Amino acid sequence: MKTSDFNFDLPEELLAEHPSEHRDESRLMVLDRKNQTIEHKTFKDVVDYFDEKDLFIFNNTKVFPARLYGNKEKTGAKIEVFLLRELDKETRVWDVLVDPARKIRIGNKLFFTEDESLVAEVIDNTTSRGRTLRFLFDGPYEEFRSKLKELGETPLPKYIKREVEPEDAERYQTIYAKVEGAVAAPTAGLHFSKHLMKRLEIKGIDFAEVTLHVGLGTFNPIEVEDLSKHKMESEEIIIDEKNAEIINKAVQENRRVCAVGTTTMRAIETSVSSNKKISAINGWTNKFIYPPHDFGVANTMITNFHTPKSTLMMMIAAFAGKDFLMQAYEEAVREKYKFYSYGDAMLII
């Protein structure tokens, strides 16, 4: 498979700048793999495709406000700092991206507050935009983290050109987010409202949760034409014994198992064995799923519409069938579905 096999024309106006007014009222395209049919629905209709004892698997990661703005010492130049990952809790060392990067060198200091209560020193260069920062803050760890939260901004994807608005703090987060650690939302889950979750529950549908802390690597463009040569960045993944058991029971009983989002799918496909059993895991995954791929757990999937040549689109092509997916994407463009993080959804059965 080649990267160029996944190209298509996506008009810029179809990239969603805002979420739909109500979470569960975005549009839903339903792909039936067996009959090769496409239906157009509203997201809350998803409940009609599942029965009692079917299982939904959610990614319960929580997005933290990862985008900060600081000023470089001496020059006062405004620098964007995007927090990627905490490397050491004790010494407050973080992996970050900086923009503009050309101005930021080892030894530079960045000031985030007028009173200089939060300062960071650049201690390493990791990539062209990547830096390692040591934060200097006079106070306990909890106070340091709440200072980051207070100064940080919801990390909307760069394609959204508008300013961050107060509603983004709530809407760029799933309603079941629990475990903080993601720098991007697991966007298929953004369509679930409290009311819809209640309807699924009343219908007798079971829920399981996994954690995959979404990193920016998910959105990195593929630089190679030969997909087998692409390396995904690692993301943290946690599946506990209790949830592994719930998933295994559903698979064993041949129930409909729905992975909500590509991150959920990557988590369960990382921990599944050849005999289709999920094991508890607390570690990292750099699994890259593209056609052909034999999925071991989920037999249905909910996802958003992804951008051309993205790793996310490749995973969906492996699940839906590449030709069928390309046909569906053509129809989505024609029908003006909204793409990407705040966009519409697809159910693949």
Side-chain angles (χ1 to χ4, degrees):
M1 279 279 167
K2 300 200 294 282
T3 303
S4 53
D5 292 338
F6 296 89
N7 201 11
F8 65 96
D9 285 328
L10 178 58
E12 206 169 316
E13 68 268 18
L14 297 187
L15 290 170
E17 287 269 320
H18 291 269
S20 60
E21 192 183 346
H22 301 290
R23 285 182 186 268
D24 57 16
E25 286 183 359
S26 53
R27 296 167 75 192
L28 178 71
M29 181 186 273
V30 183
L31 271 60
D32 183 325
R33 294 179 291 174
K34 189 178 168 202
N35 299 315
Q36 296 283 291
T37 55
I38 295 173
E39 291 179 284
H40 303 286
K41 300 281 186 176
T42 300
F43 192 79
K44 57 188 176 190
D45 299 330
V46 79
V47 74
D48 301 335
Y49 292 87
F50 295 88
D51 294 313
E52 192 180 346
K53 291 293 180 199
D54 286 344
L55 178 70
F56 274 65
I57 310 173
F58 298 102
N59 180 6
N60 65 11
T61 187
K62 189 172 187 179
V63 180
F64 65 93
R67 193 172 270 129
L68 300 173
Y69 294 95
N71 297 96
K72 193 178 166 190
E73 65 176 335
K74 295 182 184 142
T75 68
K78 188 181 179 185
I79 306 294
E80 179 190 302
V81 173
F82 196 101
L83 302 171
L84 290 178
R85 178 181 303 169
E86 186 176 51
L87 298 177
D88 190 318
K89 190 173 169 175
E90 298 302 312
T91 56
R92 297 171 190 179
V93 171
W94 282 72
D95 239 349
V96 306
L97 295 176
V98 292
D99 191 21
R102 65 184 187 283
K103 296 182 175 178
I104 303 299
R105 299 189 174 90
I106 294 173
N108 285 162
K109 282 202 170 115
L110 297 169
F111 294 85
F112 295 94
T113 52
E114 289 284 325
D115 61 3
E116 299 184 6
S117 59
L118 184 67
V119 180
E121 184 182 3
V122 182
I123 59 172
D124 197 10
N125 285 349
T126 49
T127 60
S128 60
R129 284 181 60 215
R131 300 290 183 272
T132 306
L133 297 188
R134 181 189 290 116
F135 282 96
L136 312 168
F137 179 80
D138 192 16
Y141 180 76
E142 285 66 31
E143 272 179 36
F144 163 64
R145 286 304 297 247
S146 62
K147 180 57 85 174
L148 286 185
K149 203 168 274 189
E150 176 199 320
L151 296 171
E153 196 177 82
T154 303
L156 292 183
K158 280 286 195 191
Y159 80 88
I160 294 178
K161 300 289 186 270
R162 63 175 172 80
E163 290 293 303
V164 172
E165 294 164 12
E167 72 152 2
D168 291 313
E170 184 223 341
R171 291 301 303 270
Y172 195 63
Q173 193 83 271
T174 63
I175 61 163
Y176 47 78
K178 284 192 191 117
V179 189
E180 195 170 82
V183 298
T187 54
L190 298 179
H191 304 285
F192 286 84
S193 63
K194 286 187 175 134
H195 181 64
L196 178 58
M197 295 291 272
K198 198 76 204 151
R199 285 178 64 212
L200 291 166
E201 222 176 282
I202 290 165
K203 202 165 182 184
I205 288 157
D206 292 334
F207 302 148
E209 291 184 357
V210 301
T211 306
L212 185 141
H213 290 318
V214 191
L216 281 189
T218 296
F219 308 111
N220 280 354
I222 299 184
E223 308 287 0
V224 290
E225 179 64 354
D226 177 353
L227 293 187
S228 65
K229 295 195 166 46
H230 177 66
K231 297 277 182 290
M232 292 285 280
E233 273 184 40
S234 292
E235 292 169 313
E236 196 175 357
I237 171 183
I238 305 154
I239 302 177
D240 63 24
E241 294 283 358
K242 180 183 146 215
N243 282 285
E245 214 171 289
I246 293 168
I247 296 166
N248 287 333
K249 193 167 184 291
V251 171
Q252 219 175 333
E253 293 172 2
N254 287 323
R255 293 193 245 141
R256 184 163 265 190
V257 176
C258 181
V260 178
T262 56
T263 57
T264 299
M265 186 66 93
R266 193 150 72 254
I268 58 182
E269 285 298 303
T270 295
S271 64
V272 71
S273 63
S274 52
N275 63 356
K276 306 210 167 180
K277 265 183 104 76
I278 290 271
S279 308
I281 183 173
N282 189 334
W284 296 83
T285 180
N286 62 354
K287 193 169 190 68
F288 176 28
I289 298 171
Y290 59 94
H293 180 82
D294 182 22
F295 290 85
V297 180
N299 45 31
T300 63
M301 180 176 191
I302 291 168
T303 185
N304 276 25
F305 289 89
H306 306 293
T307 48
K309 301 195 286 190
S310 60
T311 58
L312 308 170
M313 184 188 172
M314 289 163 189
M315 180 196 288
I316 306 309
F319 192 76
K322 181 182 167 290
D323 293 344
F324 189 31
L325 183 79
M326 295 308 270
Q327 180 195 330
Y329 269 36
E330 262 177 54
E331 187 152 335
V333 170
R334 211 167 38 243
E335 295 289 331
K336 299 199 169 3
Y337 274 75
K338 291 289 190 183
F339 278 68
Y340 219 27
S341 302
Y342 270 156
D344 293 314
M346 178 184 272
L347 166 66
I348 308 165
I349 58 175

